[in-house]
Amino acid sequence: MNNLQIPVRGLSIHVKMEGDRHLPAIVFLHGFTGSSATWTEVRNELKGSYRTIAIDLTGHGKTTVPDNAERYSMEEQVEDLEALFEYLKLDSFYLVGYSMGGRIALAYTIHYPNRVKALILESSSPGLLKEHDRMERKTADKLLASKIIDEGIASFVEKWENIPLFESQKSLPAEKRQEVRRERLQQNTIGLANSLLGIGTGSQNSYWEALNSISNPVFLITGELDAKFVAIAREMSNLSPTWRHIVVSGAGHAIHVEKPRLFATMIMEYLMDL
């Protein structure tokens, strides 16, 4: 596996790449508080069949942590990805995004559809449709960002891993829970705070109205126990009837963490059917 630090638009982006260049490529984008490491088990399942590229998004993992929250905006991150793919000479690939990474993957596909052979969104949304809801969320994210700075990573992670969204992860083996916690604890306070301010759901534009413009194949994956995102995915797939949506039994928000082998199998089966 190659661990690379790639200079892109004033940043140093950390990328994990594995697999021969002749294999079809899959790019993975993690969620908030995550990193490229979150995809390790899924990528191991795909080894030999696909070339995999996992990226540490701005302010996360080993990628640069800009001090300016505006540098984390959706527009900036989409352009960072495009410049990165140019650097890597990735002309076409399958794009997988989880949660925050899914929002970024969706935005990238809307702006650069010709590179994306298929878009796979795990527990993701196109943002908030109503301005009022975006303002409320922006205020909440700003408050949380301040708490991260004031109280530190350890205090934040203790609260974050106990929110209802991750309740299903409490049934994971202790070793797996510790692995997820370590990944979160290794994040940077400025990086997490600025991610909330710059690319939180309240800060990004809504992409609901742009969904009909997407002609790429799209596969939506949600966990049965994550009712909010199941409902969002159903609404998305109703707007775009060619999109496929699967609800995974017994899984919550992070299917790739809770059921990595099943998640990888679903990706392979979907791509083989295209």
Side-chain angles (χ1 to χ4, degrees), residues 4-15 64 80 83-84 87:
L4 307 172
Q5 291 293 145
I6 298 176
V8 171
R9 302 180 70 236
L11 303 181
S12 175
I13 297 182
H14 180 240
V15 179
T64 302
D80 289 341
L84 177 65
Y87 183 98

Side-chain angles (χ1 to χ4, degrees), residues 3-253:
N3 284 283
L4 307 172
Q5 291 293 145
I6 298 176
V8 171
R9 302 180 70 236
L11 303 181
S12 175
I13 297 182
H14 180 240
V15 179
K16 290 183 177 181
M17 300 179 64
E18 188 168 23
D20 295 335
R21 285 186 171 272
H22 73 274
L23 293 172
I26 305 180
V27 172
F28 292 91
L29 305 181
H30 62 78
F32 179 64
T33 75
S35 70
S36 52
T38 193
W39 301 109
T40 299
E41 289 184 79
V42 172
R43 294 173 66 217
N44 285 340
E45 294 291 332
L46 299 171
K47 194 178 295 185
S49 299
Y50 293 92
R51 180 187 182 200
T52 60
I53 300 100
I55 299 167
D56 284 354
L57 294 166
T58 307
H60 287 74
K62 297 177 182 177
T63 288
T64 302
V65 178
D67 291 328
N68 182 359
E70 292 179 3
R71 188 62 183 79
Y72 294 69
S73 72
M74 183 65 79
E75 294 75 17
E76 292 281 0
Q77 296 212 36
V78 165
E79 292 310 311
D80 289 341
L81 287 177
E82 174 61 9
L84 177 65
F85 298 145
E86 279 283 339
Y87 183 98
L88 294 174
K89 295 181 171 55
L90 276 176
D91 295 327
S92 66
F93 48 83
Y94 302 110
L95 183 56
V96 179
Y98 160 65
S99 200
M100 179 190 80
R103 290 188 285 112
I104 296 172
L106 177 63
Y108 179 84
T109 302
I110 290 169
H111 286 91
Y112 295 99
N114 293 336
R115 285 197 197 272
V116 181
K117 292 195 286 188
L119 175 63
I120 299 172
L121 299 177
E122 175 193 4
S123 308
S124 302
S125 87
L128 297 168
L129 185 58
K130 297 178 181 177
E131 176 68 20
H132 172 73
D133 292 337
R134 288 199 295 273
M135 292 306 294
E136 277 195 351
R137 181 61 179 269
K138 201 170 182 178
T139 299
D141 284 345
K142 188 174 182 180
L143 180 61
L144 183 55
S146 296
K147 284 186 176 180
I148 293 173
I149 296 297
D150 293 341
E151 299 175 10
I153 287 287
S155 175
F156 164 70
V157 168
E158 179 67 29
K159 295 185 179 82
W160 185 251
E161 65 188 4
N162 284 296
I163 66 174
L165 195 65
F166 302 121
E167 182 65 28
S168 57
Q169 292 185 18
K170 292 181 179 178
S171 62
L172 291 171
E175 184 180 345
K176 183 65 178 178
R177 294 200 308 274
Q178 280 300 117
E179 186 181 309
V180 173
R181 176 179 288 179
R182 279 195 300 272
E183 186 178 18
R184 289 169 173 160
L185 288 171
Q186 287 169 0
Q187 303 300 330
N188 181 288
T189 53
I190 299 295
L192 294 188
N194 280 346
S195 290
L196 287 169
L197 297 174
I199 202 170
T201 311
S203 298
Q204 78 158 72
N205 292 326
S206 167
Y207 288 108
W208 279 102
E209 293 181 0
L211 296 184
N212 287 331
S213 71
I214 298 175
S215 58
N216 314 63
V218 178
F219 183 26
L220 307 173
I221 306 174
T222 51
E224 173 193 17
L225 306 177
D226 186 13
K228 175 183 175 181
F229 281 87
V230 169
I232 290 170
R234 282 182 177 149
E235 189 172 354
M236 291 170 72
S237 60
N238 286 339
L239 290 172
S240 302
T242 60
W243 294 14
R244 186 177 179 190
H245 175 210
I246 284 186
V247 178
V248 180
S249 298
H253 192 62

